[in-house]
Amino acid sequence: MAIEPVVGFYNRETNIDLSVEGWTVGTVKADTESEVLPLRVWNNKGGEELASTMQDCELYILDENEVKLQPIVTEGWLKGLCASLGDTEFITIDDQTVLNIGSSESDTSNYDIFGDINDGEDTNIRNFADVDLKFAVPFGATHGQKGFSVAVKYFYT
């Protein structure tokens, strides 16, 4: 029997664990975009025991109060694409829209990230989804620091 999914968020270029380090977006002026974060969402990275498959994976954003009420969410400042599924255009992620994500081995109607036993290397393509994220701050946005969380919703059996 498989264990529950073991979810990790990493910068796919630096391999930094973003669950620990966080994503420092930096200063983004109104009417401009941030640098792209090359995110890798792992299931069971380096796992020596089979983990359950993350099914129907959706990436979403919450504001600093862990709800969806602030302009950073309601105005759709976060943009994303799932590179591992072949997306080429960024979509807006807001209080109504999520980004479906999955491994390159996933059936795009299921959006799966598998929990296979693996060595944690880039060759284990079934175990992760590659996602590009950026902020596009609209003209007239309120200034100041904006707290947020990026999360993934899924189910498993």
Side-chain angles (χ1 to χ4, degrees):
M1 176 174 257
I3 61 173
E4 68 182 65
V6 181
V7 183
F9 296 87
Y10 294 84
N11 181 313
R12 70 177 182 265
E13 291 178 356
T14 64
N15 207 31
I16 291 174
D17 184 345
L18 297 173
S19 301
V20 175
E21 298 294 322
W23 174 19
T24 303
V25 178
T27 301
V28 185
K29 296 178 183 177
D31 207 25
T32 64
E33 295 181 349
S34 71
E35 295 291 321
V36 172
L37 170 68
L39 176 66
R40 180 161 285 163
V41 180
W42 273 93
N43 181 3
N44 202 28
K45 182 177 182 177
E48 297 177 2
E49 187 177 347
L50 180 67
S52 294
T53 298
M54 297 166 60
Q55 301 172 45
D56 289 340
C57 299
E58 300 175 343
L59 184 138
Y60 62 97
I61 182 173
L62 295 172
D63 62 36
E64 62 194 344
N65 298 313
E66 297 187 1
V67 292
K68 296 181 175 185
L69 299 175
Q70 301 291 324
I72 193 170
V73 179
T74 60
E75 294 177 3
W77 296 11
L78 183 64
K79 312 294 182 197
L81 63 80
C82 185
S84 56
L85 292 177
D87 292 352
T88 57
E89 304 221 1
F90 283 88
I91 67 162
T92 298
I93 303 168
D94 59 20
D95 57 336
Q96 302 294 315
T97 307
V98 298
L99 176 66
N100 292 309
I101 66 171
S103 80
S104 61
E105 298 283 308
S106 175
D107 175 341
T108 56
S109 64
N110 294 335
Y111 305 106
D112 296 328
I113 305 175
F114 302 94
D116 301 346
I117 295 170
N118 68 89
D119 61 6
E121 297 297 325
D122 291 351
T123 55
N124 304 117
I125 60 174
R126 289 175 50 86
N127 288 76
F128 59 79
D130 283 341
V131 178
D132 290 339
L133 296 176
K134 66 181 177 181
F135 277 97
V137 180
F139 182 78
T142 57
H143 65 282
Q145 291 189 355
K146 309 290 184 219
F148 66 94
S149 297
V150 173
V152 173
K153 180 175 111 178
Y154 61 90
F155 80 92
Y156 71 95
T157 54

